């Protein structure tokens, strides 16, 4: 688990599957079609910060502040008591929002640097901005500047409406905001009856180990959104697979792998909180490092054999120069004492000379 401090979103159940909350100075995008409860997410997120001593900035591109606070009160969130004290609104539309991004927000960030109180920011919704700017490059530049500016105040939550075509997982009109955000959750609404017809799915969450299921959620007056999640792993099962990791780490150590690989294995062990065995993941990782099962066994046997057969003191080849090597009682001269070619061969002129030489 990351040691970085997390900021709770206040969305009941969501923080359980994003390591306790969002990181500071990041953007969380809430994507969904009409009726999924994006504004409720925004109000609940903002209200939690206000109740815990933070300031809040609500940037609305559709509804005026009075209507937002009235709807919040219907959900059980009394924003009126914070209005113009800890809670501030910016209400802008379409192309006017570009001026807000270029001038007003940077001035607000500069003024806020003198205050130690964290400011929680909401943009609800971003959709009119994306519709007002048709050019994709210009849209990307404005959104990049907007996100960069607001993240200097604190954690930011942005809602945006999608209009997905049949068969699309996520609407094409929200791809740029999703790409530019640090985290994104997708809300879906299926009017098909049953106990739950709304569901949340985490699309991305940078530097965060997050849940990968589809989580149903409901609206409860006085609480807001309640996401039905369960912890990835119970506290008593956190160390359930230590023996699997320890075996993998020992095997890697026996293979004399790079020290960085061992460090990575230890890190994975410390952060493994999934409810299933890591064995398959470790096997795939070993294979990616060229350490499949067959190679592992052969390498281990080879390495152990080399260690057992190697003398404690290495043999100095230099000690053999000028001497002889004994092989099965046959004396051989080393190459450096054999006669060289420039000494020539013994010349024999006649058979009688050869006989004399032999005698």
């Amino acid at each position: 688990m990351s040691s970085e401090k997390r900021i709770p979103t206040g969305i009941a159940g969501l923080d359980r599957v994003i390591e306790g909350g969002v990181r500071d100075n990041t953007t969380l995008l809430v994507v969904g079609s009409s009726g999924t409860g994006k504004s409720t997410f925004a109000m609940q997120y903002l209200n939690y910060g206000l109740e815990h001593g933070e300031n809040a900035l609500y940037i609305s591109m559709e509804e005026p502040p009075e209507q937002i606070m009235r709807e919040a009160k219907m959900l059980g969130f009394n924003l009126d008591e914070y209005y113009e004290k800890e809670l501030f609104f910016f209400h802008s539309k379409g192309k006017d929002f570009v001026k807000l991004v270029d001038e007003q927000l940077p001035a607000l960030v500069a003024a806020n640097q003198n205050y130690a109180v964290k400011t929680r920011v909401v943009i609800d919704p971003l959709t009119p901005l994306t519709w007002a700017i048709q050019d994709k490059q210009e849209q990307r530049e404005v959104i990049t500047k907007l996100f960069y500016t607001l993240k200097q105040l604190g954690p930011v939550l942005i809602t945006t409406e999608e209009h997905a075509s049949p068969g699309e997982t996520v609407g094409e009109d929200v791809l740029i905001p999703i790409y530019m955000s640090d985290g994104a959750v997708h809300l879906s609404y299926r009017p098909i009856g049953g106990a739950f017809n709304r569901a949340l799915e985490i699309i991305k969450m940078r530097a965060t180990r997050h849940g990968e299921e589809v989580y149903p959620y409901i609206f409860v007056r006085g609480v807001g959104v309640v996401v039905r999640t369960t912890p990835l792993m119970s506290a008593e099962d956190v160390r359930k697979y230590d023996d699997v990791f320890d075996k993998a780490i020992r095997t890697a150590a026996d293979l004399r792998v790079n020290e960085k690989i061992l460090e990575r294995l230890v890190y994975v062990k410390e952060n493994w909180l999934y409810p299933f065995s890591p064995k398959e993941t470790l096997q795939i990782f070993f294979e990616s490092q060229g350490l499949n099962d067959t190679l592992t066994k052969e390498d281990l046997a080879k390495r152990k054999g080399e260690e057992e057969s190697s003398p404690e003191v290495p043999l100095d080849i230099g000690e053999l120069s000028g001497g002889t090597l004994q092989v099965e009682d046959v004396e051989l001269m080393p190459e450096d004492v054999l006669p060289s070619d420039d000494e020539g061969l013994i010349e024999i002129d006649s058979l009688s000379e050869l006989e004399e030489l032999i005698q």
Side-chain angles (χ1 to χ4, degrees), residues 81-313:
E81 59 182 291
Y82 303 105
Y83 184 52
E84 296 293 345
K85 298 175 184 177
E86 295 85 13
L87 170 61
F88 302 92
F89 285 88
F90 272 119
H91 186 212
S92 184
K93 293 186 178 182
K95 281 288 186 178
D96 294 338
F97 197 78
V98 178
K99 182 179 180 180
L100 177 68
V101 174
D102 289 337
E103 300 176 10
Q104 294 173 284
L105 291 180
L108 176 64
V109 170
N112 195 70
Q113 289 178 348
N114 298 324
Y115 297 92
V117 179
K118 184 64 63 179
T119 299
R120 188 172 292 220
V121 184
V122 158
I123 305 175
D124 180 39
L126 187 68
T127 310
L129 173 62
T130 59
W131 286 358
I133 304 176
Q134 297 299 319
D135 182 76
K136 295 297 184 183
Q137 182 60 35
E138 182 184 358
Q139 184 185 119
R140 177 170 178 166
E141 290 174 357
V142 172
I143 292 175
T144 299
K145 187 172 184 179
L146 172 65
F147 287 5
Y148 172 78
T149 302
L150 291 178
K151 285 195 293 185
Q152 297 178 64
L153 293 172
V156 185
L157 184 143
I158 309 106
T159 72
T160 186
E161 187 170 339
E162 69 162 348
H163 298 83
S165 302
E168 286 183 340
T169 304
V170 178
E172 184 180 353
D173 54 334
V174 298
L175 292 181
I176 291 178
I178 289 176
Y179 178 76
M180 302 308 300
S181 65
D182 297 297
V185 298
H186 185 248
L187 308 180
S188 59
Y189 173 63
R190 299 180 178 87
I192 55 177
F196 300 101
N197 51 21
R198 290 181 173 88
L200 176 147
E201 186 175 6
I202 301 172
I203 301 175
K204 62 182 285 190
M205 201 67 63
R206 289 175 181 162
T208 302
R209 189 196 67 256
H210 60 80
E212 299 176 353
E213 300 178 27
V214 177
Y215 305 101
Y217 64 93
I218 58 175
F219 299 104
V220 179
R221 289 186 181 274
V223 178
V225 176
V226 177
V227 185
R228 292 195 62 189
T229 57
T230 55
L232 293 179
M233 204 171 197
S234 60
E236 58 269 21
D237 287 338
V238 167
R239 303 271 64 92
K240 182 177 180 180
Y241 298 112
D242 275 4
D243 57 336
V244 178
F245 280 108
D246 292 341
K247 182 178 180 181
I249 293 170
R250 286 196 303 270
T251 300
D254 288 340
L255 288 172
R256 306 292 192 272
V257 300
N258 188 294
E259 190 67 28
K260 294 294 183 182
I261 302 298
L262 288 176
E263 292 176 1
R264 287 170 65 185
L265 287 171
V266 172
Y267 185 82
V268 173
K269 173 187 174 182
E270 293 173 349
N271 290 272
W272 186 270
L273 295 180
Y274 295 102
F276 51 84
S277 173
K279 186 175 181 180
E280 181 181 7
T281 300
L282 290 170
Q283 288 175 339
I284 295 172
F285 175 74
F286 269 58
E287 289 175 7
S288 72
Q289 302 297 320
L291 304 172
N292 55 38
D293 289 346
T294 303
L295 180 60
T296 298
K297 293 175 182 177
E298 292 177 351
D299 248 18
L300 280 172
K302 181 179 178 181
R303 290 176 184 273
K304 289 181 179 179
E306 289 175 349
E307 291 175 357
E308 293 172 359
S309 61
S310 299
E312 293 184 0
V313 180

